[in-house]
């Protein structure tokens, strides 16, 4: 990241800050004290992943209040809400939505159709009709549960459907039984379930201009052209091996081409670990430049970080390649809840600095 990833950032930093237009949001302050205040001035929601199990911890709560947007880290996944067919458990997901509502945050539902954290009963379904009806029912029930509450404003309808190299869709119960059309079917079911929320396709390792990003771009372009109800694309932005970081200039280009289709784009799960040998100054610069790229694109409407503090980051159990046995340190707050230089990089970029 410090080499290739840092190259090509010229022209991105701060260039178009505020391109989303001056906000009249009351949250916008002359001297922002929080990320959400800084984001509000250009109309961006600033998010974090939240885990229900930590919501009663004082430091966790204080830090969560920096944000205007939340994504449940695991609590709305298929295995959490419908562990056995037709039996729904809303407890943990509802705790997050309620916490968000109390604290004036919006929520992005995450996620409806994904090959991972999927209960065994779905994989065990024998026919296409069974998978279709389970998928449509899942989407309908989960979105229906939160419909009309004004806190859940968007859903990741389909998550990570493409192979890492972008050559084809991943094998899953959905692709193997329903074929590539499962994505169209999922979005149609989602729109039928709730016409008032934003519907996103979300994926990783497709942040900049690469083969996987090209495949996703072609897919969503075709969806738009065929009238499939999609509102936007989430670029996860988990960066560092094994997800090679994209240059900020490439990310900007990808954001621009997606939004040129009339779609929104969001940075949906950003973290940027230092297992590859980055310094904290490198990390600050990278966070700054990615956030600046989003701020430069009017239809890049939200930036969500995958957890606030290193203390509870999923990267701590991420043992792939260079992170095995290392301290990934990929978040904006350290494990003792102290703001890292990267935090200031983000705060600056949100203000066009
Ligand atoms: C991760 C969670 O952070 C972990 O707690 C869990 O064990 C695995 O999933 N892409 C996604 C997220 O869309 O749902 C993943 O979250 C991280 C990668």
């Amino acid at each position: 990241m410090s080499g290739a990833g840092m190259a090509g950032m010229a022209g991105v930093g701060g260039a178009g800050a505020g391109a989303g237009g001056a906000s009249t949001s009351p949250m916008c302050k002359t001297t922002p004290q929080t990320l959400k205040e800084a984001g509000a001035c250009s109309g961006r929601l600033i998010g974090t992943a939240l885990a229900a199990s930590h919501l009663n911890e004082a430091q966790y709560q204080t830090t969560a209040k920096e944000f205007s947007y939340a994504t449940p880290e695991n609590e709305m996944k298929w295995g959490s809400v419908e562990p056995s067919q037709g039996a729904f458990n809303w407890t943990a997901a509802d705790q997050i939505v309620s916490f968000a509502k109390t604290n004036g945050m919006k929520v992005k539902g995450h996620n409806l159709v994904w090959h991972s954290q999927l209960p065994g009963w779905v994989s065990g379904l024998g026919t296409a009709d069974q998978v279709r009806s389970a998928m449509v029912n899942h989407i309908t029930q989960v979105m229906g549960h939160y419909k009309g509450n004004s806190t859940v404003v968007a859903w990741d309808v389909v998550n990570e459907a493409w192979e890492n190299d972008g050559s084809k869709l991943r094998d899953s119960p959905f692709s193997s039984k329903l074929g590539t059309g499962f994505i169209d079917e999922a979005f149609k079911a989602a729109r039928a379930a709730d016409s008032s929320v934003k519907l996103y396709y979300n994926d990783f390792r497709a942040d900049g201009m690469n083969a996987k990003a090209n495949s996703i771009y072609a897919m969503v372009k075709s969806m738009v052209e065929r009238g499939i109800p999609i509102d936007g694309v989430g670029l996860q932005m988990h960066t560092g091996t094994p997800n090679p970081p994209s240059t900020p200039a490439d990310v900007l280009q990808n954001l621009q081409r997606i939004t040129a289709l009339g779609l929104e784009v969001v940075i949906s799960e950003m973290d940027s670990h230092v297992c590859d040998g980055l310094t904290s100054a490198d990390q600050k610069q990278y966070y700054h430049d990615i956030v600046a790229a989003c701020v430069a694109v009017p239809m890049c409407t939200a930036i969500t970080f995958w957890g606030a503090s290193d203390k509870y980051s999923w990267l701590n159990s991420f043992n792939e390649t260079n992170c095995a046995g290392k301290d990934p340190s990929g978040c904006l707050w350290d494990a003792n809840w102290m703001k890292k230089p990267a935090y200031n990089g983000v705060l600056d970029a949100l203000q066009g600095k």
Side-chain angles (χ1 to χ4, degrees):
M1 190 183 300
S2 50
M6 291 296 145
M9 69 179 68
V12 173
S23 168
T24 52
S25 165
M27 221 186 262
C28 171
K29 302 281 171 9
T30 317
T31 309
Q33 302 297 315
T34 57
L35 298 179
K36 68 184 174 191
E37 288 176 2
C41 297
S42 63
R44 268 79 185 176
L45 287 170
I46 308 300
T48 183
L50 287 181
S53 56
H54 301 304
L55 289 178
N56 58 355
E57 296 171 29
Q59 291 277 26
Y60 197 87
Q61 289 176 4
T62 304
T63 310
K65 289 174 189 167
E66 283 266 343
F67 298 91
S68 47
Y69 206 23
T71 304
E73 188 168 356
N74 290 297
E75 293 76 355
M76 285 186 185
K77 292 173 181 173
W78 197 314
S80 302
V81 291
E82 194 186 7
S84 51
Q85 188 161 18
F88 290 85
N89 178 356
W90 309 111
T91 311
D94 285 356
Q95 282 168 0
I96 296 202
V97 175
S98 153
F99 177 89
K101 198 177 184 77
T102 304
N103 292 290
M105 304 163 90
K106 300 297 181 192
V107 169
K108 174 151 73 73
H110 174 78
N111 54 57
L112 295 165
V113 180
W114 190 27
H115 66 280
S116 184
Q117 294 180 268
L118 188 65
W121 68 263
V122 181
S123 320
L125 295 171
T127 68
D129 280 349
Q130 287 172 331
V131 173
R132 177 173 293 111
S133 103
M135 182 180 84
V136 170
N137 185 56
H138 182 78
I139 292 170
T140 309
Q141 297 297 325
V142 179
M143 289 183 71
H145 183 73
Y146 295 103
K147 186 175 177 173
N149 77 357
S150 78
T151 296
V152 180
V153 295
W155 283 92
D156 289 329
V157 178
V158 176
N159 198 40
E160 302 182 355
W162 284 86
E163 287 282 6
N164 288 357
D165 66 1
S167 60
K168 58 179 167 60
L169 293 184
R170 250 175 228 288
D171 194 32
S172 73
F174 311 107
S175 63
S176 67
K177 293 282 189 319
L178 305 179
T180 56
F182 88 85
I183 298 178
D184 290 357
E185 291 190 51
F187 277 85
K188 287 183 194 165
R191 180 57 83 231
D194 189 345
S195 60
S196 70
V197 290
K198 297 290 170 81
L199 306 178
Y200 298 131
Y201 175 80
N202 191 52
D203 215 325
F204 70 103
R205 217 189 267 202
D207 312 309
M209 301 294 284
N210 58 35
K212 183 169 177 180
N214 293 345
S215 296
I216 290 168
Y217 171 75
M219 174 185 77
V220 298
K221 180 168 185 286
S222 158
M223 291 171 77
V224 169
E225 286 165 357
R226 291 179 296 109
I228 304 298
I230 179 171
D231 297 302
V233 176
L235 304 177
Q236 292 185 9
M237 210 71 64
H238 294 291
T239 64
T241 52
N243 300 323
S246 301
T247 65
D250 268 6
V251 170
L252 178 64
Q253 205 181 332
N254 199 26
L255 298 173
Q256 285 169 333
R257 72 172 168 172
I258 293 168
T259 57
L261 298 171
L263 294 172
E264 279 183 29
V265 72
V266 295
I267 307 292
S268 57
E269 307 185 9
M270 187 170 185
D271 48 31
S272 190
H273 68 66
V274 298
C275 308
D276 300 329
L278 289 194
T279 64
S280 71
D282 293 331
Q283 186 185 50
K284 174 183 182 183
Q285 188 75 55
Y286 194 67
Y287 264 106
H288 171 277
D289 292 346
I290 295 299
V291 171
C294 177
V295 170
V297 175
M299 292 280 281
C300 184
T301 53
I303 303 163
T304 292
F305 303 96
W306 206 238
S309 159
D310 290 335
K311 184 173 172 104
Y312 296 127
S313 170
W314 77 304
L315 293 171
N316 296 336
S317 47
F318 191 73
N319 281 322
E320 293 188 57
T321 51
N322 290 359
C323 270
K326 289 195 186 157
D327 179 4
S329 226
C331 297
L332 299 180
W333 279 258
D334 71 16
N336 297 312
W337 304 99
M338 299 298 289
K339 291 171 183 166
K340 290 154 71 170
Y343 173 96
N344 292 314
V346 170
L347 196 64
D348 284 350
L350 289 172
Q351 299 172 81
K353 295 187 200 162

